[in-house]
Amino acid sequence: MTTFTYDPANPAEEFPTYPYRLAPDGLATRRQLRAAGLRPGGHHAVAQILWRRGKRVAYLYRLDLAAPKRVATPAQRAAIAKALRARRTCRHCGQTKPYYIPRRYGCCLDCHGGDR
């Protein structure tokens, strides 16, 4: 396993590496970008944050290169709704349930009945 140092100026590192909560301004994780309504916009990570003794990593992206999140078209939204409805429809009785049908049973909990 590669050991990482917390030296952003070290040219031997692939990425500048920062400790948890000490990343400079202008960089954000994917989750932070998503919360701000942005996406990486096609560019690659420019740095990383390591925590939990190097076992966890989060990649950082430049905010100035981030693009707005794309909005799904009405056709895409309809397709997603149809797929989610199919996950709630029982193959045996045909009823649409308020929960997703467990894949292990392949039917709703009423049809499964616990005897299979």
Side-chain angles (χ1 to χ4, degrees):
M1 181 174 171
T2 306
T3 59
F4 295 100
T5 61
Y6 295 127
D7 182 12
N10 186 356
E13 293 292 328
E14 183 176 345
F15 290 126
T17 302
Y18 301 96
Y20 186 68
R21 295 187 186 258
L22 292 178
D25 292 337
L27 298 179
T29 64
R30 279 185 180 269
R31 184 173 288 197
Q32 291 168 335
L33 289 174
R34 190 176 334 125
L38 300 170
R39 61 187 171 92
H43 72 280
H44 300 288
V46 295
Q48 63 186 358
I49 295 175
L50 289 178
W51 71 100
R52 293 198 179 169
R53 297 184 180 146
K55 293 182 182 178
R56 296 290 309 237
V57 63
Y59 296 107
L60 298 170
Y61 300 88
R62 289 179 40 188
L63 285 171
D64 60 336
L65 297 178
K69 283 197 303 189
R70 293 180 286 197
V71 179
T73 65
Q76 289 171 326
R77 288 180 188 257
I80 291 168
K82 184 177 177 181
L84 293 178
R85 190 171 43 256
R87 288 182 60 191
R88 294 189 334 261
T89 304
C90 178
R91 287 186 254 170
H92 295 291
C93 65
Q95 293 182 349
T96 301
K97 300 293 183 177
Y99 56 87
Y100 293 129
I101 306 298
R103 291 190 308 178
R104 79 169 68 165
Y105 304 139
C107 60
C108 67
L109 298 178
D110 294 333
C111 291
H112 177 66
D115 58 355
R116 292 185 189 174

